[in-house]
Amino acid sequence: MKQSIPPLLAILARASAWSYTQDFDNTASVHINALHKYQEMIGGGCSGAFGGACQLFGANGLSPENQQKVTQLLFDENMGALSLVRNDIGSSPGTTILPKCPATPAGPFDYVWDGSDDCQLNLTRTALKYNPELFVYADAWSAPGCMKTVGTENDGGFICGVRGTNCTHDWRQAYADYLVQYVKYYKKEGIDISMLGAWNEPDFNPFTYESMLSDGFMAKDFLEVLYPTVKREFPNVDISCCDATGARQERNILYELEKAGGSDFFDIATWHNYQSNPERPFNAGGKRNIMTEWADGSGPWNTTWDYSGQLAEGLQWALYMHNAFVNSDTSGYTHWECAQQDGGDNALVALQGDTYVVSSRLWAFASFFRFARPGSVRVDATSTVENVYVSAYVNKNGTVAIPVINAAHYPYDVTLNLEGVHVKKASAYLTDNAHNVTLVDQFALHGSTFKVTVEPRAVKTFWLE
Ligand SMILES: *[C@@H]1O[C@H](CO)[C@@H](O)[C@H](O)[C@H]1NC(C)=O
Ligand SMILES: *[C@@H]1O[C@H](CO)[C@@H](O)[C@H](O)[C@H]1NC(C)=O
Ligand SMILES: *[C@@H]1O[C@H](CO)[C@@H](O)[C@H](O)[C@H]1NC(C)=O
Ligand SMILES: *[C@@H]1O[C@H](CO)[C@@H](O)[C@H](O)[C@H]1NC(C)=O
Ligand SMILES: *[C@@H]1O[C@H](CO)[C@@H](O)[C@H](O)[C@H]1NC(C)=O
């Protein structure tokens, strides 16, 4: 027979659907070996492409004061702690540096700089103010129309001159020069572009917006022109390949690029997480890789850290990042838009007139990147249990960041064992439904072992000094 439950208890029971007394061991051991090093980190990021930067800089009424606040929230090392911005090298009328495409590659190329770059210059400049170590990724979705088989920046098509194309002219050098011109305009504004990309999702053809196709063989045919052209003028600018729609799609391009003899013509492998996940190290010949775009996109705006386990929740993003960093040696992780009005789950910050709301996804980024700063190196970290995920990063000055993710619905008692680190003090920062990277504990370290409790459905980042 059912017992009647008092109303308050019924509410409590609903609110804590997951609370039960587990009848098995809730202890885990974590071992950190700082002598075993993996990839160097670049950090978390987002983009202001396709008008997002203009929305952030007031197009829908966000005041100058709030423009600063939101950008600081995203990029300040004590807040969202992002350190990568991905800009679109626009090829559409109104945003392109080459409004009039010449009839032949002989020119003339009448480049123009409007000092705004679809507000991306402002975003980059303001982000740099809050994070001087900002990694600026300039990426083209398409070459100017005249340089492609389809004659327009939309509708896919190929760069004229790569294998399989039969255009009247070979436009590869012209496209390479155009990309360098964009880097020069930023240089004139006092901003160093860190990485330059020639494609966006070249494995995928939506036929509606700026797009351009390529496989790995065709990528080789263009990169062999682009690489020396860029390095002659900007030896420190990295060249990316190729922003495929998924990790698997990127692997296929990289495989073909290598078959074609093009492995030396890029510096960093770039991929999106839409169509497949990273599961193992990339076939990038030891070069770094960055996840350069992803968001749910299909969902409504959501600030939730952990409620239903759906894609856009903060805890899920912490797990995606963990998997990319640990399984695929990924150095950076880039959310699609930084801030947007009416953009659903595409952005980290939702704008509404002069107000803004922050998603918990930003706190997932912060739980890693407030502590694992640009230039930190991932080191070996292992956990004895499946539902406690751990990674570890050593900063340039020897401080150590250890984000521990407890995916279970009950707390874990975790013993951490340290090898190869020399630290005296630990601070614990908690991120869960009630905390956003909040300092919850500080203690002295004696010897190489310490014991902690990690809350359920949480990231607890240990910062060791
Ligand atoms: C950048 O935004 C600020 C307000 O935050 C505005 O005053 C300034 O004019 C903008 N600059 C450009 C180049 O758009
Ligand atoms: C290439 O284009 C030329 C001129 O348009 C044409 O005569 C030739 O048949 C084309 N070749 C191929 C392989 O399509
Ligand atoms: C976010 O999603 C959760 C379920 O996934 C839902 O309960 C919550 O109401 C959503 N919040 C918003 C603001 O849409
Ligand atoms: C934490 O962040 C979420 C999402 O940005 C927000 O809704 C919530 O109010 C914040 N909580 C605290 C305790 O600051
Ligand atoms: C070490 O580097 C980290 C990350 O950049 C920084 O937050 C911290 O203040 C530095 N500590 C010391 C003692 O310099």
Side-chain angles (χ1 to χ4, degrees), residues 293-315:
E293 182 189 322
W294 192 35
D296 176 10
S298 61
W301 173 250
N302 198 301
T303 61
T304 313
W305 172 258
D306 177 55
Y307 180 77
S308 65
Q310 54 105 247
L311 176 67
E313 293 182 349
L315 177 65

Side-chain angles (χ1 to χ4, degrees), residues 200-464:
N200 170 70
E201 303 181 352
D203 57 300
F204 180 72
N205 197 336
F207 286 122
T208 51
Y209 51 86
E210 299 168 24
S211 54
M212 189 166 72
L213 295 170
S214 182
D215 66 12
F217 293 96
M218 295 162 141
K220 185 262 182 185
D221 296 342
F222 178 62
L223 288 172
E224 71 185 356
V225 176
L226 179 68
Y227 199 84
T229 301
V230 173
K231 298 290 174 175
R232 251 194 314 272
E233 296 210 49
F234 297 104
N236 295 328
V237 172
D238 287 324
I239 304 298
S240 71
C241 167
C242 286
D243 282 78
T245 55
R248 169 171 52 76
Q249 288 79 356
E250 176 71 15
R251 297 182 67 84
N252 288 340
I253 289 179
L254 293 173
Y255 177 78
E256 293 175 352
L257 184 63
E258 189 188 347
K259 287 265 158 207
S263 300
D264 290 340
F265 299 131
F266 77 103
D267 301 299
I268 300 187
T270 49
W271 53 281
H272 301 177
N273 202 78
Y274 292 103
Q275 304 220 88
S276 54
N277 296 316
E279 283 159 3
R280 52 207 162 106
F282 271 93
N283 48 341
K287 298 172 204 263
R288 284 179 293 175
N289 76 85
I290 308 178
M291 200 293 285
T292 43
E293 182 189 322
W294 192 35
D296 176 10
S298 61
W301 173 250
N302 198 301
T303 61
T304 313
W305 172 258
D306 177 55
Y307 180 77
S308 65
Q310 54 105 247
L311 176 67
E313 293 182 349
L315 177 65
Q316 300 303 313
W317 276 69
L319 286 161
Y320 298 136
M321 281 189 252
H322 168 92
N323 284 332
F325 301 156
V326 171
N327 298 337
S328 301
D329 296 336
T330 297
S331 292
Y333 212 79
T334 316
H335 199 276
W336 177 211
E337 290 284 338
C338 297
Q340 246 187 341
Q341 175 142 344
D342 304 323
D345 265 338
N346 273 314
L348 285 168
V349 176
L351 308 173
Q352 190 62 57
D354 191 27
T355 62
Y356 60 89
V357 185
V358 182
S359 106
S360 290
R361 295 186 291 283
L362 184 62
W363 308 129
F365 279 93
S367 68
F368 283 90
F369 292 120
R370 260 194 222 174
F371 312 99
R373 298 298 299 157
S376 63
V377 172
R378 187 173 73 82
V379 299
D380 204 40
T382 51
S383 161
T384 50
V385 302
E386 181 75 30
N387 45 6
V388 172
Y389 298 77
V390 60
S391 58
Y393 311 84
V394 178
N395 285 301
K396 287 181 202 156
N397 64 10
T399 51
V400 182
I402 310 175
V404 180
I405 308 175
N406 179 5
H409 295 89
Y410 50 85
Y412 256 102
D413 292 329
V414 183
T415 304
L416 288 99
N417 191 267
L418 308 171
E419 190 179 341
V421 304
H422 305 284
V423 287
K424 295 198 181 80
K425 194 176 105 184
S427 308
Y429 292 82
L430 179 62
T431 308
D432 64 7
N433 276 331
H435 302 84
N436 299 333
V437 206
T438 308
L439 178 64
V440 290
D441 201 6
Q442 262 185 327
F443 46 92
L445 292 172
H446 305 287
S448 57
T449 299
F450 64 102
K451 287 185 185 208
V452 297
T453 298
V454 179
E455 289 73 0
R457 309 294 282 174
V459 182
K460 205 169 201 177
T461 308
F462 297 94
W463 166 249
L464 313 183

